[in-house]
Amino acid sequence: MLQEAIFNQYGIVLERRESSDRYQSFRSGEVLYTVIPLSTIDEEELSERLKLSQFMLKQGDSYVSEFILSNQGSYISAEGENLFLLLGNRSLIESRPVKLGRKLAKFHHRGRTFAEPIKKCNRIGNWKEMWEKRLDQLENVWRDKLHSHPTNEFEKNFVDSFPYYMSLGENAIQYLVDTEIDQETTGMDAGTVCHERFHNELWTGSYCVKNPFDWVFDHGARDIAEWSRQHYFSNVHTYQPGLNQFSTDYRSLGELSAFSWSLTYARLLFPVHYFEAVEEYYLNVSETRKNSLEEHLNQILVQSHYYEDFLKRYFEISQVPVNKLKIAKVDWL
């Protein structure tokens, strides 16, 4: 049992389990512990996440999870054949998404002072290559389904809709390339600690936990864009006030450059929500999940004009001085 393994290897008694959508977690005394399963060990990646965690803690962010050493002096432990490591959080104040934009800006500000090289967790400058690879892979699937003819409603919708979303993705890539060529960078554009996918629920719940296994090293625009996308899809018809407030709160610690806003917009143009639905469908074997994804894709397609309107109004609602900053507009929106 995991409980027995943790006691034997860490001397920690599991007092009560805590609900969590992603990882097993439990309380012991005044510490919240999170169990991170390791299917494989990438020592370089683990070392980077350890360094980032230690750095952000030293910068004064008490909500960051720290790596816990076992009694054997190792961060990696085993339960039978299963490897895991343990994270601990000592600040257990419940967090609410109040001025989340300002909290994120402060987090990014701290992360920009990290000076050591990052390789495995680095995403800076990789967007174009990753987006092109994703587009190419999905185009190959689309061509295969086009020639073999759709066998169900999902495949029919995919075959019909993919050319539009491929075009949207190509627009995003071109916008990104133009941004990197045309826009000057500032100190706000330095790499920082970001998240694979930042959203409201990540820092809220029973406790605020800033988990290093959610992180990547990237431009802060990544988090701004992904929060904005998630907020929009959670509030399709009422997203405007929240988006405006988030932008205002983030900028309260410093105005963003034209480069930052343009990167944010390029990321919003790239229709990752569509690609993820299709990718998961063809990777997933569960019929129940496939049915759910069929409904999800249909909803995406039905609401596509709403997302276009969101893209069209994004800068206006976020109060970005587009003309002053000379930010390029997308003409077809």
Side-chain angles (χ1 to χ4, degrees):
M1 279 183 63
L2 181 61
Q3 181 176 352
E4 185 178 345
I6 290 174
F7 177 74
N8 290 336
Q9 297 176 55
Y10 296 89
I12 297 171
V13 177
L14 187 157
E15 294 177 0
R16 75 166 185 267
R17 294 189 181 275
E18 296 287 345
S19 60
S20 174
D21 293 334
R22 294 174 296 145
Y23 301 109
Q24 292 188 64
S25 60
F26 63 92
R27 279 284 298 271
S28 181
E30 296 304 310
V31 183
L32 175 74
Y33 292 98
T34 302
V35 180
I36 307 294
L38 300 173
S39 54
T40 59
I41 297 177
D42 186 325
E43 291 185 2
E44 189 174 5
E45 179 188 337
L46 291 178
S47 175
E48 288 180 358
R49 295 194 186 281
L50 171 62
K51 289 176 181 177
L52 289 170
S53 169
Q54 291 173 335
F55 177 81
M56 294 299 279
L57 281 164
K58 287 178 182 176
Q59 293 300 302
D61 195 327
S62 60
Y63 295 106
V64 169
S65 305
E66 63 176 307
F67 284 59
I68 306 298
L69 276 171
S70 71
N71 295 333
Q72 290 74 37
S74 172
Y75 289 114
I76 299 172
S77 298
E79 180 206 4
E81 296 181 358
N82 301 317
L83 300 175
F84 69 94
L85 59 78
L86 206 58
L87 301 177
N89 287 77
R90 302 179 189 282
S91 293
L92 301 182
I93 300 173
E94 183 177 351
S95 180
R96 297 178 178 86
V98 177
K99 292 192 179 298
L100 188 62
R102 184 177 175 85
K103 292 178 181 179
L104 180 63
K106 194 171 184 179
F107 185 82
H108 285 166
H109 177 73
R110 286 171 167 154
R112 287 190 193 99
T113 58
F114 184 82
E116 293 189 52
I118 292 290
K119 181 181 177 182
K120 289 288 186 175
C121 298
N122 181 53
R123 301 293 182 271
I124 294 175
N126 295 340
W127 295 9
K128 179 176 180 290
E129 179 183 349
M130 295 173 78
W131 292 357
E132 286 175 338
K133 182 180 179 180
R134 204 163 188 175
L135 266 178
D136 290 343
Q137 288 174 336
L138 214 52
E139 186 178 4
N140 289 335
V141 175
W142 174 73
R143 291 190 185 282
D144 178 61
K145 298 302 175 184
L146 186 65
H147 293 144
S148 63
H149 302 296
T151 59
N152 57 38
E153 189 68 22
F154 184 97
E155 292 193 344
K156 181 180 183 300
N157 284 336
F158 168 51
V159 166
D160 290 344
S161 63
F162 180 72
Y164 166 80
Y165 285 97
M166 181 172 69
S167 176
L168 195 56
E170 289 171 341
N171 266 260
I173 291 169
Q174 188 58 53
Y175 195 92
L176 173 65
V177 170
D178 291 344
T179 295
E180 293 176 340
I181 293 173
D182 297 337
Q183 299 286 9
E184 295 289 330
T185 59
T186 69
M188 291 283 283
D189 296 307
T192 187
V193 182
C194 291
H195 301 78
E196 188 69 43
R197 193 66 59 81
F198 187 71
H199 53 81
N200 261 347
E201 288 71 36
L202 209 56
W203 288 356
T204 60
S206 298
Y207 310 108
C208 178
V209 173
K210 298 182 180 180
N211 188 330
F213 286 83
D214 292 329
W215 298 350
V216 292
F217 197 79
D218 207 342
H219 191 287
R222 179 192 191 99
D223 284 347
I224 298 172
E226 295 307 330
W227 181 90
S228 300
R229 190 198 313 271
Q230 187 262 356
H231 176 73
Y232 161 77
F233 280 113
S234 298
N235 308 272
V236 172
H237 300 293
T238 58
Y239 68 87
Q240 296 90 339
L243 177 60
N244 178 277
Q245 189 63 54
F246 180 84
S247 172
T248 300
D249 291 342
Y250 189 96
R251 291 156 58 204
S252 67
L253 291 186
E255 287 294 335
L256 294 176
S257 67
F259 184 82
S260 287
W261 282 121
S262 298
L263 276 192
T264 301
Y265 199 65
R267 198 165 183 92
L268 289 172
L269 276 173
F270 192 76
V272 70
H273 53 286
Y274 173 87
F275 292 152
E276 283 183 340
V278 176
E279 289 163 352
E280 186 181 352
Y281 183 88
Y282 287 112
L283 289 172
N284 203 288
V285 295
S286 162
E287 284 303 316
T288 301
R289 183 58 182 153
K290 281 180 181 287
N291 292 335
S292 175
L293 288 166
E294 184 176 309
E295 294 177 11
H296 180 51
L297 180 65
N298 186 60
Q299 185 179 38
I300 289 174
L301 301 184
V302 167
Q303 296 182 348
S304 61
H305 61 291
Y306 291 131
Y307 193 71
E308 283 190 7
D309 185 64
F310 164 68
L311 292 172
K312 184 177 181 180
R313 301 185 60 200
Y314 178 77
F315 285 138
E316 173 195 347
I317 294 167
S318 300
Q319 295 184 312
V320 180
V322 173
N323 294 330
K324 178 183 177 182
L325 295 178
K326 298 180 180 178
I327 295 174
K329 298 178 181 179
V330 178
D331 294 334
W332 58 268
L333 283 171

